[in-house]
Amino acid sequence: MCNGISSLRVWLGTVAFPLPFGHKEVPSVAIRHVEPYTDEWLQQPVSYLQRVIDMLGSEVADWWEGPCDPRDATLKLADGSALVWDEESGWRLGSFVSGGRGAHTELDGVRYLGHGLLPKPERVPPALTDARAGIGASSAWRPCYRSHRNCRDGFDVALDFYSRLIDA
């Protein structure tokens, strides 16, 4: 308790929002996890992907979502190559071999872009340039940041950040 006030004020700009105190007077913040395999869960990566597509601009000729386990998406690029994102290893670049809506994409000559599972959308274009040149954080070795089977590991919370940016 602080001066008889039972909540903490968090300042965002010029507006203060009170946070309720929980156990031992520690501010409690609710985290909402999306239930796995629901429509909301399946669509959750789309807001992040759309931000990346916006950053890449006319370089993206087409894009589609793949199946789940793991959730993935393919961005077919104007030069015939493709960028694929999945929820286990992040972004990878390669020559498009096969794939389509609802199917996993097969690539040849794969390079993983690096920078984590959800790099900031503005970091993807320079990472793509590095991967094309075979430099920087890009690698032919597949990283495994998480397993798609770990549904309560906080990844849905990270994805939710991007959907809130779009909805705002």
Side-chain angles (χ1 to χ4, degrees):
M1 194 89 77
C2 185
N3 295 332
I5 300 172
S6 64
S7 68
L8 174 70
R9 294 203 179 270
V10 176
W11 290 90
L12 298 173
T14 59
V15 180
F17 297 94
L19 292 177
F21 277 109
H23 180 68
K24 295 186 179 181
E25 296 298 317
V26 174
S28 61
V29 178
I31 296 177
R32 184 183 76 84
H33 290 278
V34 176
E35 194 61 36
Y37 299 98
T38 61
D39 288 342
E40 181 181 7
W41 181 83
L42 290 169
Q43 291 297 308
Q44 206 173 22
V46 172
S47 296
Y48 171 71
L49 295 167
Q50 191 59 60
R51 300 261 320 215
V52 171
I53 291 165
D54 291 347
M55 289 289 144
L56 292 169
S58 62
E59 194 159 359
V60 178
D62 193 12
W63 79 278
W64 59 85
E65 295 172 77
C68 62
D69 293 337
R71 291 175 286 182
D72 69 18
T74 300
L75 281 59
K76 187 100 182 264
L77 303 178
D79 66 2
S81 64
L83 262 178
V84 175
W85 174 88
D86 73 59
E87 66 179 318
E88 291 184 333
S89 58
W91 290 100
R92 63 187 175 272
L93 170 69
S95 299
F96 183 80
V97 175
S98 66
R101 299 187 193 301
H104 290 294
T105 297
E106 183 183 344
L107 301 174
D108 189 40
V110 173
R111 291 220 40 108
Y112 290 86
L113 272 57
H115 301 292
L117 190 54
L118 286 174
K120 290 181 180 180
E122 58 270 15
R123 291 189 75 182
V124 175
L128 174 59
T129 300
D130 286 352
R132 284 178 169 148
I135 61 172
S138 71
S139 170
W141 300 101
R142 180 184 185 265
C144 189
Y145 298 112
R146 68 184 290 270
S147 170
H148 69 276
R149 291 177 179 88
N150 296 339
C151 295
R152 297 278 192 226
D153 63 355
F155 182 64
D156 57 336
V157 176
L159 281 175
D160 194 47
F161 170 78
Y162 288 98
S163 63
R164 291 181 190 275
L165 287 177
I166 299 293
D167 294 342

